[in-house]
Protein backbone atom coordinates (compact mmCIF):
# COMPACT_ATOMS: atom_id res chain seq x y z
CA UNK A 1 0.00 0.00 0.00
CA UNK A 2 1.24 3.57 -0.62
CA UNK A 3 3.25 5.23 2.09
CA UNK A 4 1.29 8.46 2.56
CA UNK A 5 -2.45 7.97 2.26
CA UNK A 6 -2.30 4.22 2.61
CA UNK A 7 -4.93 2.27 4.52
CA UNK A 8 -1.95 0.42 5.95
CA UNK A 9 0.23 3.22 7.30
CA UNK A 10 -2.03 6.17 7.85
CA UNK A 11 -2.66 6.94 11.49
CA UNK A 12 -4.57 9.75 13.12
CA UNK A 13 -2.00 11.86 14.96
CA UNK A 14 -3.14 14.81 17.03
CA UNK A 15 -2.19 18.17 15.58
CA UNK A 16 -0.09 19.07 18.62
CA UNK A 17 1.85 15.80 18.67
CA UNK A 18 4.91 14.89 16.64
CA UNK A 19 4.73 11.87 14.44
CA UNK A 20 6.71 8.95 15.73
CA UNK A 21 9.77 7.70 13.81
CA UNK A 22 9.03 5.93 10.55
CA UNK A 23 9.13 2.13 10.79
CA UNK A 24 10.53 0.58 7.59
CA UNK A 25 9.25 -2.82 8.75
CA UNK A 26 5.65 -1.77 7.98
CA UNK A 27 6.51 -0.90 4.38
CA UNK A 28 8.66 -3.97 3.86
CA UNK A 29 5.97 -6.31 5.21
CA UNK A 30 3.47 -4.76 2.78
CA UNK A 31 5.72 -5.73 -0.11
CA UNK A 32 6.25 -9.28 1.13
CA UNK A 33 2.51 -9.72 1.70
CA UNK A 34 1.72 -8.46 -1.79
CA UNK A 35 4.16 -10.99 -3.24
CA UNK A 36 2.46 -13.72 -1.21
CA UNK A 37 -1.00 -12.80 -2.49
CA UNK A 38 0.23 -12.96 -6.09
CA UNK A 39 1.75 -16.37 -5.32
CA UNK A 40 -1.62 -17.65 -4.10
CA UNK A 41 -3.39 -16.50 -7.25
CA UNK A 42 -0.68 -17.86 -9.54
CA UNK A 43 -0.99 -21.12 -7.63
CA UNK A 44 -4.68 -21.20 -8.53
CA UNK A 45 -3.66 -21.18 -12.20
CA UNK A 46 -1.10 -23.92 -11.63
CA UNK A 47 -3.69 -26.12 -9.94
CA UNK A 48 -5.37 -26.53 -13.32
CA UNK A 49 -2.49 -28.85 -14.18
CA UNK A 50 -3.67 -32.30 -13.07
CA UNK A 51 -0.05 -33.41 -12.55
CA UNK A 52 1.03 -30.29 -10.68
CA UNK A 53 4.04 -30.58 -8.37
CA UNK A 54 2.63 -30.83 -4.83
CA UNK A 55 5.70 -29.16 -3.33
CA UNK A 56 5.44 -26.11 -5.60
CA UNK A 57 1.75 -25.91 -4.72
CA UNK A 58 2.77 -25.95 -1.06
CA UNK A 59 5.14 -23.04 -1.69
CA UNK A 60 2.60 -20.99 -3.62
CA UNK A 61 -0.56 -21.82 -1.71
CA UNK A 62 0.49 -22.79 1.84
CA UNK A 63 3.73 -20.96 2.71
CA UNK A 64 2.17 -17.70 1.46
CA UNK A 65 -0.99 -18.06 3.60
CA UNK A 66 0.15 -15.37 6.03
CA UNK A 67 -0.30 -12.74 3.30
CA UNK A 68 -3.88 -11.55 3.80
CA UNK A 69 -3.95 -11.68 7.63
CA UNK A 70 -0.65 -9.84 7.89
CA UNK A 71 -2.17 -7.00 5.84
CA UNK A 72 -4.75 -6.56 8.61
CA UNK A 73 -1.99 -6.68 11.21
CA UNK A 74 0.01 -3.87 9.65
CA UNK A 75 -3.18 -1.94 8.84
CA UNK A 76 -3.97 -1.80 12.54
CA UNK A 77 -0.34 -1.17 13.44
CA UNK A 78 -0.19 1.82 11.10
CA UNK A 79 -3.47 3.23 12.42
CA UNK A 80 -2.60 2.91 16.10
CA UNK A 81 1.08 3.82 15.85
CA UNK A 82 0.40 7.57 15.69
CA UNK A 83 -2.91 7.47 17.53
CA UNK A 84 -3.40 8.60 21.12
CA UNK A 85 -5.99 6.09 22.29
CA UNK A 86 -6.70 8.15 25.41
CA UNK A 87 -7.93 11.14 23.42
CA UNK A 88 -11.31 11.31 21.64
CA UNK A 89 -11.30 10.08 18.07
CA UNK A 90 -12.56 12.54 15.46
CA UNK A 91 -14.64 9.82 13.83
CA UNK A 92 -15.96 11.99 11.01
CA UNK A 93 -12.50 13.13 9.95
CA UNK A 94 -11.14 9.61 10.38
CA UNK A 95 -13.77 8.05 8.14
CA UNK A 96 -13.51 10.82 5.56
CA UNK A 97 -9.81 10.07 5.17
CA UNK A 98 -10.39 6.31 5.04
CA UNK A 99 -13.10 6.65 2.41
CA UNK A 100 -10.74 8.69 0.25
CA UNK A 101 -7.89 6.21 0.59
CA UNK A 102 -9.85 2.95 0.42
CA UNK A 103 -13.51 3.33 -0.58
CA UNK A 104 -12.91 5.40 -3.72
CA UNK A 105 -10.15 3.09 -5.05
CA UNK A 106 -12.31 0.09 -4.16
CA UNK A 107 -15.24 1.40 -6.21
CA UNK A 108 -13.00 2.45 -9.10
CA UNK A 109 -11.24 -0.92 -9.31
CA UNK A 110 -14.52 -2.81 -8.91
CA UNK A 111 -16.06 -0.92 -11.81
CA UNK A 112 -12.89 -1.42 -13.86
CA UNK A 113 -12.99 -5.20 -13.41
CA UNK A 114 -16.73 -5.39 -13.97
CA UNK A 115 -16.39 -3.49 -17.25
CA UNK A 116 -13.30 -5.41 -18.31
CA UNK A 117 -14.64 -8.85 -17.45
CA UNK A 118 -18.04 -8.01 -18.90
CA UNK A 119 -16.35 -7.37 -22.25
CA UNK A 120 -13.66 -10.05 -21.97
CA UNK A 121 -16.03 -12.85 -20.95
CA UNK A 122 -19.02 -11.37 -22.83
CA UNK A 123 -21.14 -11.22 -19.69
CA UNK A 124 -22.21 -7.59 -19.94
CA UNK A 125 -22.50 -5.18 -17.03
CA UNK A 126 -24.61 -6.19 -14.00
CA UNK A 127 -27.96 -4.56 -13.31
CA UNK A 128 -28.12 -1.98 -10.46
CA UNK A 129 -29.37 -4.41 -7.80
CA UNK A 130 -26.75 -7.01 -8.69
CA UNK A 131 -24.12 -4.27 -8.76
CA UNK A 132 -24.96 -3.24 -5.20
CA UNK A 133 -24.62 -6.86 -4.11
CA UNK A 134 -21.25 -7.18 -5.83
CA UNK A 135 -19.94 -4.00 -4.20
CA UNK A 136 -21.23 -5.00 -0.77
CA UNK A 137 -19.60 -8.45 -0.85
CA UNK A 138 -16.48 -7.45 -2.78
CA UNK A 139 -16.93 -9.99 -5.56
CA UNK A 140 -16.07 -7.85 -8.59
CA UNK A 141 -12.66 -9.56 -8.53
CA UNK A 142 -11.21 -12.16 -6.21
CA UNK A 143 -8.70 -9.87 -4.45
CA UNK A 144 -11.06 -6.97 -3.70
CA UNK A 145 -12.79 -8.49 -0.67
CA UNK A 146 -9.77 -7.42 1.38
CA UNK A 147 -10.79 -3.78 0.98
CA UNK A 148 -14.36 -4.57 2.02
CA UNK A 149 -13.20 -6.11 5.30
CA UNK A 150 -10.81 -3.21 5.80
CA UNK A 151 -13.67 -0.72 5.42
CA UNK A 152 -15.65 -2.62 8.06
CA UNK A 153 -12.65 -2.48 10.37
CA UNK A 154 -12.53 1.29 9.85
CA UNK A 155 -16.25 1.70 10.50
CA UNK A 156 -15.80 -0.07 13.85
CA UNK A 157 -12.67 1.87 14.85
CA UNK A 158 -14.13 3.19 18.15
CA UNK A 159 -14.67 -0.43 19.21
CA UNK A 160 -11.08 -1.42 18.41
CA UNK A 161 -9.76 1.59 20.33
CA UNK A 162 -11.81 0.57 23.37
CA UNK A 163 -10.55 -3.02 23.12
CA UNK A 164 -6.90 -2.05 22.65
CA UNK A 165 -7.16 0.42 25.53
CA UNK A 166 -8.20 -2.40 27.87
CA UNK A 167 -6.14 -5.20 26.33
CA UNK A 168 -3.42 -7.08 28.14
CA UNK A 169 -1.55 -10.37 27.82
CA UNK A 170 -4.32 -12.42 29.40
CA UNK A 171 -7.15 -10.84 27.38
CA UNK A 172 -5.15 -11.18 24.14
CA UNK A 173 -4.55 -14.85 24.89
CA UNK A 174 -8.25 -15.39 25.51
CA UNK A 175 -9.08 -13.51 22.32
CA UNK A 176 -6.69 -15.74 20.38
CA UNK A 177 -8.35 -18.86 21.77
CA UNK A 178 -11.77 -17.43 20.88
CA UNK A 179 -10.46 -16.64 17.38
CA UNK A 180 -9.37 -20.25 16.90
CA UNK A 181 -12.76 -21.51 18.05
CA UNK A 182 -14.77 -19.12 15.87
CA UNK A 183 -12.69 -19.63 12.72
CA UNK A 184 -12.83 -23.39 13.18
CA UNK A 185 -16.61 -23.23 13.49
CA UNK A 186 -16.96 -20.97 10.45
CA UNK A 187 -14.64 -23.08 8.28
CA UNK A 188 -15.15 -26.65 9.46
CA UNK A 189 -18.53 -26.94 11.20
CA UNK A 190 -20.42 -29.56 9.19
CA UNK A 191 -23.92 -28.63 10.49
CA UNK A 192 -23.37 -24.93 9.83
CA UNK A 193 -21.92 -25.36 6.34
CA UNK A 194 -24.56 -27.95 5.46
CA UNK A 195 -27.20 -25.42 6.47
CA UNK A 196 -25.59 -22.67 4.37
CA UNK A 197 -25.19 -24.74 1.21
CA UNK A 198 -28.64 -26.24 1.71
CA UNK A 199 -30.36 -22.88 1.50
CA UNK A 200 -32.32 -22.32 -1.74
CA UNK A 201 -30.60 -20.10 -4.29
CA UNK A 202 -33.39 -17.52 -4.05
CA UNK A 203 -32.93 -17.15 -0.27
CA UNK A 204 -31.84 -13.62 0.70
CA UNK A 205 -29.84 -15.12 3.58
CA UNK A 206 -27.67 -17.40 1.44
CA UNK A 207 -25.29 -14.79 -0.04
CA UNK A 208 -24.81 -13.17 3.39
CA UNK A 209 -23.61 -16.52 4.74
CA UNK A 210 -21.87 -17.79 1.61
CA UNK A 211 -19.72 -14.65 1.39
CA UNK A 212 -19.15 -14.28 5.14
CA UNK A 213 -15.36 -14.39 4.66
CA UNK A 214 -15.69 -11.24 2.55
CA UNK A 215 -17.11 -8.98 5.23
CA UNK A 216 -17.22 -10.66 8.66
CA UNK A 217 -14.37 -8.86 10.39
CA UNK A 218 -14.63 -11.30 13.27
CA UNK A 219 -12.55 -13.77 11.21
CA UNK A 220 -9.54 -11.47 11.65
CA UNK A 221 -10.30 -9.61 14.88
CA UNK A 222 -7.41 -11.04 16.88
CA UNK A 223 -4.69 -10.18 14.37
CA UNK A 224 -6.09 -6.65 13.92
CA UNK A 225 -6.31 -6.01 17.67
CA UNK A 226 -2.82 -7.46 18.13
CA UNK A 227 -1.45 -5.04 15.55
CA UNK A 228 -3.07 -2.11 17.35
CA UNK A 229 -1.90 -3.31 20.78
CA UNK A 230 1.74 -3.76 19.70
CA UNK A 231 1.74 -0.34 18.01
CA UNK A 232 0.51 1.33 21.21
CA UNK A 233 3.15 -0.57 23.21
CA UNK A 234 5.88 -0.17 20.61
CA UNK A 235 8.74 0.24 23.12
CA UNK A 236 7.86 -2.98 24.90
CA UNK A 237 7.41 -4.72 21.54
CA UNK A 238 10.85 -3.60 20.36
CA UNK A 239 12.41 -4.86 23.58
CA UNK A 240 10.62 -8.19 23.18
CA UNK A 241 11.85 -8.58 19.60
CA UNK A 242 15.41 -7.68 20.53
CA UNK A 243 15.59 -10.05 23.49
CA UNK A 244 13.75 -13.00 21.91
CA UNK A 245 14.92 -13.02 18.29
CA UNK A 246 15.98 -16.64 18.39
CA UNK A 247 12.75 -17.83 20.01
CA UNK A 248 10.70 -15.81 17.51
CA UNK A 249 12.58 -17.44 14.63
CA UNK A 250 12.09 -20.93 16.06
CA UNK A 251 8.38 -20.23 16.61
CA UNK A 252 8.00 -19.08 13.01
CA UNK A 253 9.63 -22.17 11.50
CA UNK A 254 7.79 -24.49 13.87
CA UNK A 255 4.39 -23.10 12.89
CA UNK A 256 5.29 -23.18 9.19
CA UNK A 257 6.31 -26.83 9.50
CA UNK A 258 3.05 -27.53 11.35
CA UNK A 259 0.95 -26.00 8.56
CA UNK A 260 2.96 -27.82 5.87
CA UNK A 261 2.68 -31.09 7.78
CA UNK A 262 -1.09 -30.59 7.92
CA UNK A 263 -1.17 -29.99 4.16
CA UNK A 264 0.87 -33.13 3.39
CA UNK A 265 -1.15 -35.21 5.86
CA UNK A 266 -4.36 -34.22 4.11
CA UNK A 267 -2.91 -35.35 0.77
CA UNK A 268 -0.97 -38.50 1.65
CA UNK A 269 -3.00 -39.85 4.57
CA UNK A 270 -6.52 -38.45 4.20
CA UNK A 271 -6.54 -38.70 0.41
CA UNK A 272 -7.42 -35.09 -0.37
CA UNK A 273 -6.65 -33.55 -3.73
CA UNK A 274 -4.24 -30.62 -3.76
CA UNK A 275 -7.18 -28.22 -4.12
CA UNK A 276 -9.04 -29.79 -1.21
CA UNK A 277 -5.87 -29.70 0.89
CA UNK A 278 -5.15 -26.00 0.38
CA UNK A 279 -8.81 -25.18 1.01
CA UNK A 280 -8.45 -26.91 4.37
CA UNK A 281 -4.91 -26.01 5.46
CA UNK A 282 -5.58 -22.29 5.13
CA UNK A 283 -5.01 -19.22 7.30
CA UNK A 284 -8.17 -19.74 9.34
CA UNK A 285 -7.34 -23.29 10.39
CA UNK A 286 -5.75 -23.65 13.86
CA UNK A 287 -2.34 -24.31 12.30
CA UNK A 288 -2.87 -21.35 9.96
CA UNK A 289 -3.70 -19.00 12.84
CA UNK A 290 -0.52 -19.92 14.70
CA UNK A 291 1.43 -19.46 11.46
CA UNK A 292 -0.17 -16.05 10.96
CA UNK A 293 0.74 -15.00 14.50
CA UNK A 294 4.33 -16.17 14.17
CA UNK A 295 4.70 -14.54 10.72
CA UNK A 296 3.60 -11.13 11.99
CA UNK A 297 6.14 -11.17 14.81
CA UNK A 298 8.88 -12.83 12.74
CA UNK A 299 8.79 -10.45 9.77
CA UNK A 300 8.52 -7.42 12.03
CA UNK A 301 11.58 -8.63 13.91
CA UNK A 302 13.57 -9.40 10.77
CA UNK A 303 12.81 -6.04 9.18
CA UNK A 304 13.35 -4.09 12.41
CA UNK A 305 16.79 -5.50 13.26
CA UNK A 306 17.71 -6.24 9.62
CA UNK A 307 19.95 -9.28 9.88
CA UNK A 308 20.15 -9.53 6.08
CA UNK A 309 22.11 -7.83 3.25
CA UNK A 310 21.55 -4.07 3.16
CA UNK A 311 21.14 -4.04 -0.62
CA UNK A 312 17.73 -5.65 -0.15
CA UNK A 313 16.31 -2.55 1.54
CA UNK A 314 15.84 -0.48 -1.66
CA UNK A 315 14.13 -3.50 -3.26
CA UNK A 316 11.87 -3.98 -0.25
CA UNK A 317 11.12 -0.25 -0.24
CA UNK A 318 9.95 -0.31 -3.85
CA UNK A 319 7.89 -3.45 -3.30
CA UNK A 320 6.21 -1.85 -0.30
CA UNK A 321 5.73 1.55 -1.90
CA UNK A 322 3.94 0.13 -4.91
CA UNK A 323 2.26 -2.84 -3.21
CA UNK A 324 -1.23 -1.29 -3.17
CA UNK A 325 -1.46 -0.80 -6.94
CA UNK A 326 0.32 -4.10 -7.66
CA UNK A 327 -2.10 -5.91 -5.36
CA UNK A 328 -5.10 -4.39 -7.13
CA UNK A 329 -3.89 -4.80 -10.72
CA UNK A 330 -2.24 -8.24 -10.75
CA UNK A 331 -5.42 -10.23 -11.68
CA UNK A 332 -5.57 -8.19 -14.89
CA UNK A 333 -2.13 -9.44 -15.93
CA UNK A 334 -2.87 -13.00 -14.79
CA UNK A 335 -5.88 -13.06 -17.14
CA UNK A 336 -3.89 -12.08 -20.23
CA UNK A 337 -0.74 -14.03 -19.37
CA UNK A 338 -2.82 -17.18 -18.85
CA UNK A 339 -4.62 -16.57 -22.15
CA UNK A 340 -1.31 -16.09 -23.98
CA UNK A 341 0.05 -19.28 -22.43
CA UNK A 342 -3.03 -21.22 -23.44
CA UNK A 343 -2.91 -19.94 -27.02
CA UNK A 344 0.77 -20.91 -27.26
CA UNK A 345 -0.17 -24.47 -26.36
CA UNK A 346 2.04 -24.58 -23.27
CA UNK A 347 0.88 -26.29 -20.10
CA UNK A 348 1.69 -24.66 -16.76
CA UNK A 349 4.50 -26.95 -15.71
CA UNK A 350 6.51 -26.17 -12.59
CA UNK A 351 9.28 -24.19 -14.41
CA UNK A 352 6.73 -22.25 -16.47
CA UNK A 353 4.72 -21.47 -13.32
CA UNK A 354 7.79 -20.02 -11.60
CA UNK A 355 8.51 -17.82 -14.64
CA UNK A 356 4.78 -16.95 -14.81
CA UNK A 357 4.91 -15.74 -11.20
CA UNK A 358 7.83 -13.40 -11.77
CA UNK A 359 6.29 -12.10 -15.00
CA UNK A 360 3.07 -11.21 -13.15
CA UNK A 361 5.01 -9.62 -10.30
CA UNK A 362 7.18 -7.65 -12.73
CA UNK A 363 4.27 -6.43 -14.85
CA UNK A 364 2.27 -5.45 -11.77
CA UNK A 365 5.19 -3.50 -10.31
CA UNK A 366 5.95 -1.84 -13.66
CA UNK A 367 2.33 -0.77 -14.05
CA UNK A 368 2.35 0.56 -10.48
CA UNK A 369 5.49 2.64 -11.06
CA UNK A 370 4.28 4.02 -14.38
CA UNK A 371 0.82 4.87 -13.03
CA UNK A 372 2.34 6.53 -9.95
CA UNK A 373 4.60 8.71 -12.09
CA UNK A 374 1.80 9.57 -14.50
CA UNK A 375 -0.36 10.40 -11.49
CA UNK A 376 2.12 13.08 -10.48
CA UNK A 377 1.02 14.97 -13.61
CA UNK A 378 -2.59 13.78 -13.56
CA UNK A 379 -3.39 13.71 -9.81
CA UNK A 380 -6.82 12.16 -10.25
CA UNK A 381 -5.14 8.95 -11.45
CA UNK A 382 -3.38 8.39 -8.12
CA UNK A 383 -6.39 9.63 -6.18
CA UNK A 384 -8.76 7.17 -7.78
CA UNK A 385 -6.48 4.13 -8.02
CA UNK A 386 -4.47 4.18 -4.77
CA UNK A 387 -5.95 7.00 -2.70
CA UNK A 388 -2.82 9.17 -2.83
CA UNK A 389 -3.49 12.90 -2.95
CA UNK A 390 -1.08 15.76 -3.71
CA UNK A 391 0.54 17.29 -0.67
CA UNK A 392 -1.02 20.54 0.41
CA UNK A 393 1.29 23.51 0.16
CA UNK A 394 1.88 25.17 3.50
Amino acid sequence: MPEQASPITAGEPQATRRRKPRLPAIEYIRGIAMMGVIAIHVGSQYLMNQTANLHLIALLEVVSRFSVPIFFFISAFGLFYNLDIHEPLNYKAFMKKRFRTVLIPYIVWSLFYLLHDGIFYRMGFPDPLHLLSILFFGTAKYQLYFLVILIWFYLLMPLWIAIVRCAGKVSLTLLFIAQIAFDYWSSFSVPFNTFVYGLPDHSWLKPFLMYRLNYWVVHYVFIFVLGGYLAVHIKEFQTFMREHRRAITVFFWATLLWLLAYYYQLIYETGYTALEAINTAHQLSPAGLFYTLSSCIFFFTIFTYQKYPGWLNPVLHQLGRHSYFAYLVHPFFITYAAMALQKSGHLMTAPITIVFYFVILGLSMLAAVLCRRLGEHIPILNEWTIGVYPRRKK
Side-chain angles (χ1 to χ4, degrees), residues 343-364:
K343 286 187 175 181
S344 69
H346 289 89
L347 186 66
M348 283 196 73
T349 60
I352 288 178
T353 299
I354 294 171
V355 173
F356 188 93
Y357 170 79
F358 284 104
V359 167
I360 299 303
L361 176 62
L363 289 173
S364 300

Side-chain angles (χ1 to χ4, degrees), residues 140-208:
K141 207 62 178 177
Y142 47 75
Q143 88 286 22
L144 294 176
Y145 78 95
F146 164 75
L147 297 183
V148 174
I149 301 179
L150 201 56
I151 291 169
W152 280 103
F153 270 120
Y154 291 156
L155 288 169
L156 297 171
M157 190 63 181
L159 174 62
W160 313 132
I161 292 175
I163 293 175
V164 169
R165 189 183 294 140
C166 302
K169 294 179 181 178
V170 174
S171 59
L172 285 173
T173 301
L174 293 175
L175 181 60
F176 184 57
I177 294 172
Q179 186 73 80
I180 293 173
F182 176 83
D183 287 351
Y184 189 87
W185 170 80
S186 178
S187 300
F188 303 110
S189 171
V190 174
F192 173 66
N193 283 282
T194 300
F195 168 75
V196 173
Y197 285 95
L199 289 170
D201 292 338
H202 62 269
S203 170
W204 64 270
L205 182 60
K206 189 168 186 174
F208 285 93

